[in-house]
Amino acid sequence: MTATDRSIDLINLAAQAAADKLAHDIIAYDVSDVLSITDAFLLASAPNDRQVKSIVDEIEERLQKELGVKPVRREGDRDARWILLDYVDIVVHVQHSEERVFYALERLWKDCPELALPADALATRGKAQEHAKLQAEEDETAGYEELR
């Protein structure tokens, strides 16, 4: 069994919405062969809680506006460290970068086929690592300045 055309449409629109809000490392998996409850997972991350919420809000708005769908469940809003949107056909996980590294969902689903995504979403690969490197450099510079 493979992900349905509807699931792929939902994944692509959600991935584009996440990319438009500068999400990092967007990836999607076809989990239909191993799970009976959904066809696909979309994973995305952001370096702070506010951006996690912004990405989730954009995904929800775009899927509602363009495809007329609302999530049946939204979890994790309170802390905005890992928000899950369940659309039945797909499940969207938007995580704070630290949670993404800690929980490593990619490791769990690595045997599932990766779904093709829009170019903007693919261009986000490696952004979390770039951001972490820049942040470390800024922190190092700030620490040096404090010592002076």
Side-chain angles (χ1 to χ4, degrees), residues 34-100:
V34 293
L35 292 176
S36 60
I37 57 171
T38 193
D39 281 349
F41 281 167
L42 180 72
L43 311 176
S45 55
N48 61 63
D49 303 350
R50 231 168 64 216
Q51 192 174 357
V52 167
K53 279 188 174 186
S54 177
I55 292 164
V56 168
D57 290 344
E58 182 69 12
I59 291 170
E60 267 193 296
E61 186 177 316
R62 294 273 284 281
L63 290 178
Q64 167 66 35
K65 189 176 179 182
E66 296 182 32
L67 297 176
V69 296
K70 290 182 180 180
V72 295
R73 192 170 77 232
R74 178 176 172 152
E75 295 182 6
D77 244 351
R78 191 175 57 143
D79 296 331
R81 301 287 293 179
W82 179 352
I83 299 178
L84 178 144
L85 297 172
D86 183 352
Y87 286 92
V88 180
D89 295 321
I90 70 166
V91 175
V92 177
H93 300 268
V94 182
Q95 297 174 297
H96 187 287
S97 298
E98 293 169 356
E99 263 65 16
R100 179 96 178 251

